[in-house]
Amino acid sequence: MSSVLYDTPGPRARVRNVVLSFVFFALLGLLLWWAVMKLDDKGQLAWDLWKPFTTGDAWNTYLLPGLGNTLKAAALSMVIALPLGAIFGIARMSDHRWVRVPAGVVVEFFRAIPVLLLMLFAGEFYVRSTDIPSDARPLYAVVTGLVLYNASVLAEIVRAGILSLPKGQTEAAYAIGLRKGQTMAGILLPQAVTAMLPAIVSQLVVIVKDTALGGVMLQFTDLLNARSTLAANYANVIQSFFVVAVIYIALNFLLTSFASWLEGRLRRSTRGTGAVLGAGTVEDLNTGDTGGAVPAGKTG
Amino acid sequence: MKLRKVTAASAVVLALAVSVTACGGDKKDDASGGGKKIKIGIKFDQPGLGLQEPDGSYSGFDVDVATYVAKQLGYQPNQIEWVQTKSADRENALQRGDVKFIAATYSITDERKEKVDFAGPYLLAHQDLLVKKGSDITKGTDLNKKKLCSVTGSTSAQNVKKTIAPDANLRPLSGYSECVAGLQSGAVDALTTDDSILAGFAAQDKYKGQFKLTGLKLSNENYGIGVKKGDSATVDKINKALEQMVSDKSWDKAVKDNFGPAQYKNERAPKIGDIVK
Amino acid sequence: MFDFLEGYDVLGAFWTTVQLTVFSGVGSLVWGILLAGMRVSPVPLMRGFGTAYVNIVRNIPLTIIILFTSLGLADIFGVTMGSQDFKIQGFRLAVLGLIAYTAAFVCEAIRSGINTVPLGQAEAARAIGLSFSQTLRLIVLPQAFRAVIGPLANVLIALTKNTTVAAAIGVAEAATLMKTMIENEAQTVAIGAVFALGFVVLTLPTGLLLGWLGKRLAVKR
């Protein structure tokens, strides 16, 4: 592979690369060896501690129900946050100041606050002011926290999606006599939703990762919480962490791959305007607020 | 065409997600009326007291007591729905009527009595220390400068810090199994909570013979069965059930079944209403 | 009106949040730059490692990483960060976990910055005989950095918010204190508002300042 930064390596560079590779490999190997030695030292490699994961019980009783709750919270949050986000995203682009400004304040406010605080607050609020039964409350709290945060991120994604459409779309709509509302509902939004699909799938990764907060801090019986019941049975704290981490990585890797497949597919597509919001947009939006600047939509 | 397919595929994914959600959400709550099911709060992660077993069943002393009591109230074991009630959540679950009663290492205290009613006690436990075999910790003050593991939000560690060993190096973790793992690896020197709980962990196959209880009796914990405040009818019924459990030797059997393997020397069955301060 | 704040060290908790942010911020910048260097380096093994690291770390919940520093690194591998006192140890381990996580995002931000530098710049550098590290150090990175101030500011703000996850291992920062306070005091909404305000105060100026700086320093093309 050649890159902007270096030529295709010649003989000397190739030798140097091989040497560097070797040194790096040795360093990595040393680290791995140390880790394995330490694990063995503490008896963490004993097959007894790993064996439970080869049985159906560990999966059927603990891990799969936990994973089910994780997915349930993530799916619920996305389904509720999406329409909310669309409303706020469109409100932020309104021509009326009294709509645009409050919508902007709400969106920026919830993006500036840690999800964990939103969850903790929601959980306590439900205890004090509602009749939600205690076994459902953690789910409600987790979903509420995730919806508040992700709706404001999705609002920005929707806004970026609509802004990424070529200006001609709006102009053509006005030219055939459509009103503002009709243009938004009939022309811009449907195209923007298609353009946003990869970004929305990428956002699911963020949501899935954040559900884990509920498992540790709010007693939500998600995958991470199921892990602790499992570890109480098999006494395998480290091993269960390892397996649960692998499940998260696999799940999120699937979602990420699906998102980029979708992105490539949409970019290559000849129909539509070719406007696509990729995973990169999501990352910029998730990481916070820079005074409301929307990243320029990438057009293919 | 392709674009449509992608959109359609996404819609299918979304619909699936929603239906998964719907499947999980349709559990009907029929604890209060009908008398068909009874919801009982227990711990899910305490071997010997309340534990969710790999096959999905539940075991432990609290579970046996609760099953016996439920039977006296007219519910067969298959009519019981076990609910996980974590320590911080117990008063709330009762106040809202989410569960009929709670048997989850629930110590009777004056503070809690203001919010809920208690039947029992059915077991007298003591706060104790779990240490490695051969540890030099023999009394409470030995904990000064030592690494003491506690579970986030538990009162027993704060007791130690306040009254027994103010210089203890306190480490908050999310669960007892993490603390026990830390004890085994040497990351902490001691773990404190009720001896009944500690015994259960010490008896696990993985840890057998590695730990010992110091037998310090740092406090008295009178385990009661929590009932909604004001529901004296249920309290009376449960008290009768508990008395019968002791008199027909089921209590001894439950103790033997659950604490026997842990070699936990339990106190004799307490008299109803006889709270040891 | 604010008597519910009495007896709680709210400022102290936020000070811990700030310290977590600053230490982790500096650390993840260094580690992130190294990772980005690996990801664009001519050595295939380093490239592979960089890519694998970023893809794995970005897909794990931060909560697991933070818990692992305590239950895995400290307990099993004996990485106690030079202190046996759990308060200090917990703080340092949390910083380590935050660095490991945030560096993946720093790396991606910098890599995208490198991609904004026109091909001709690197080609010209090579034409005058500069080596890979010289090209990177003298020509590409200085330009790339100016382009990534905006994205890096976003990463910093996300980091500020992510420090709350340190509550999972009991570090006495803002989220830990808020949890204690809303459990003990009746004024749930007021307490929520105080902590929300605290984070707005921490993140908003950072975003505005760095956003302005990013626009000023951006290489006009």
Side-chain angles (χ1 to χ4, degrees), chain A residues 204-292:
Chain A
L204 266 175
V205 175
V206 179
I207 296 182
V208 165
K209 285 198 292 181
D210 281 348
T211 54
L213 282 171
V216 173
M217 304 297 293
L218 284 116
Q219 284 143 27
F220 174 50
T221 46
D222 74 331
L223 188 53
L224 207 53
N225 199 325
R227 182 214 65 80
S228 91
T229 317
L230 184 146
N233 264 282
Y234 299 113
N236 53 357
V237 174
I238 290 299
Q239 293 73 15
S240 54
F241 263 113
F242 181 82
V243 170
V244 165
V246 169
I247 296 175
Y248 275 113
I249 294 169
L251 175 66
N252 287 333
F253 187 73
L254 268 176
L255 285 172
T256 316
S257 310
F258 180 60
S260 48
W261 175 81
L262 215 57
E263 194 180 334
R265 183 95 183 217
L266 289 171
R267 277 195 205 291
R268 271 182 277 113
S269 147
T270 47
R271 288 170 55 100
T273 58
V276 181
L277 287 182
T281 327
V282 177
E283 226 145 70
D284 284 348
L285 289 173
N286 263 301
T287 42
D289 158 36
T290 43

Side-chain angles (χ1 to χ4, degrees), chain B:
Chain B
M1 228 29 225
K2 275 178 188 166
L3 210 70
R4 279 243 177 102
K5 266 190 210 154
V6 172
T7 318
S10 313
V12 169
V13 170
L14 207 64
L16 271 177
V18 175
S19 64
V20 166
T21 317
C23 285
D26 58 11
K27 262 188 236 153
K28 278 278 173 290
D29 175 22
D30 51 4
S32 44
K36 271 190 187 144
K37 284 254 176 198
I38 182 168
K39 281 189 175 179
I40 302 174
I42 52 164
K43 295 277 178 74
F44 276 19
D45 55 358
Q46 291 180 353
L49 286 158
L51 183 73
Q52 187 185 22
E53 297 273 352
D55 61 5
S57 66
Y58 298 87
S59 73
F61 185 69
D62 280 343
V63 173
D64 288 354
V65 169
T67 312
Y68 189 94
V69 168
K71 199 165 187 180
Q72 299 303 309
L73 294 179
Y75 298 92
Q76 292 306 310
N78 59 10
Q79 289 172 305
I80 298 172
E81 192 181 320
W82 301 107
V83 176
Q84 185 174 24
T85 41
K86 299 255 185 175
S87 296
D89 233 18
R90 291 178 295 204
E91 286 83 23
N92 257 311
L94 286 173
Q95 279 170 346
R96 278 168 206 287
D98 300 336
V99 290
K100 188 75 177 168
F101 63 83
I102 287 179
T105 62
Y106 204 4
S107 302
I108 304 174
T109 63
D110 291 338
E111 212 180 357
R112 286 172 182 157
K113 268 197 211 158
E114 285 173 16
K115 294 179 181 165
V116 299
D117 282 348
F118 282 101
Y122 61 91
L123 186 74
L124 177 58
H126 304 282
Q127 188 183 338
D128 199 353
L129 302 175
L130 188 70
V131 294
K132 263 197 171 171
K133 273 227 168 107
S135 162
D136 54 357
I137 297 174
T138 51
K139 52 184 189 298
T141 45
D142 287 347
L143 284 172
N144 279 320
K145 309 270 185 219
K146 285 281 164 53
K147 291 175 273 186
L148 178 66
C149 196
S150 71
V151 169
T152 329
S154 102
T155 48
S156 31
Q158 280 153 18
N159 282 347
V160 169
K161 188 98 181 152
K162 258 187 209 142
T163 56
I164 301 163
D167 284 340
N169 186 3
L170 214 58
R171 178 176 194 196
L173 284 179
S174 54
Y176 291 114
S177 46
E178 281 80 21
C179 276
V180 180
L183 193 59
Q184 188 197 25
S185 72
V188 293
D189 301 315
L191 156 61
T192 185
T193 184
D194 304 351
D195 47 10
S196 51
I197 301 173
L198 294 173
F201 279 103
Q204 282 188 304
D205 285 344
K206 304 284 175 324
Y207 299 130
K208 229 169 219 166
Q210 296 187 33
F211 306 132
K212 63 168 191 211
L213 285 159
T214 53
L216 280 176
K217 302 196 179 174
L218 298 170
S219 74
N220 295 316
E221 305 292 334
N222 300 276
Y223 287 177
I225 291 184
V227 177
K228 189 175 186 168
K229 183 96 190 155
D231 190 358
S232 50
T234 309
V235 171
D236 290 344
K237 275 190 222 161
I238 294 178
N239 277 336
K240 272 211 191 80
L242 288 174
E243 268 167 1
Q244 195 183 331
M245 189 176 181
V246 174
S247 63
D248 73 3
K249 304 284 179 212
S250 307
W251 192 88
D252 291 319
K253 188 180 175 303
V255 162
K256 219 170 130 195
D257 286 352
N258 294 299
F259 295 138
Q263 299 179 329
Y264 169 56
K265 289 186 212 67
N266 60 291
E267 302 268 352
R268 280 183 304 121
K271 284 223 164 56
I272 299 302
D274 185 11
I275 291 164
V276 183
K277 289 273 180 196

Side-chain angles (χ1 to χ4, degrees), chain C residues 146-178:
Chain C
R146 297 167 71 162
V148 297
I149 288 176
L152 279 184
N154 285 338
V155 174
L156 181 64
I157 289 165
L159 171 63
T160 313
K161 296 192 286 170
N162 280 338
T163 55
T164 51
V165 182
I169 56 169
V171 177
E173 47 66 71
T176 313
L177 184 65
M178 174 169 147

Side-chain angles (χ1 to χ4, degrees), chain A residues 182-196:
Chain A
Q182 288 173 316
T183 310
M184 183 58 77
I187 308 289
L188 297 180
L189 208 51
Q191 297 188 70
V193 166
T194 317
M196 279 159 25

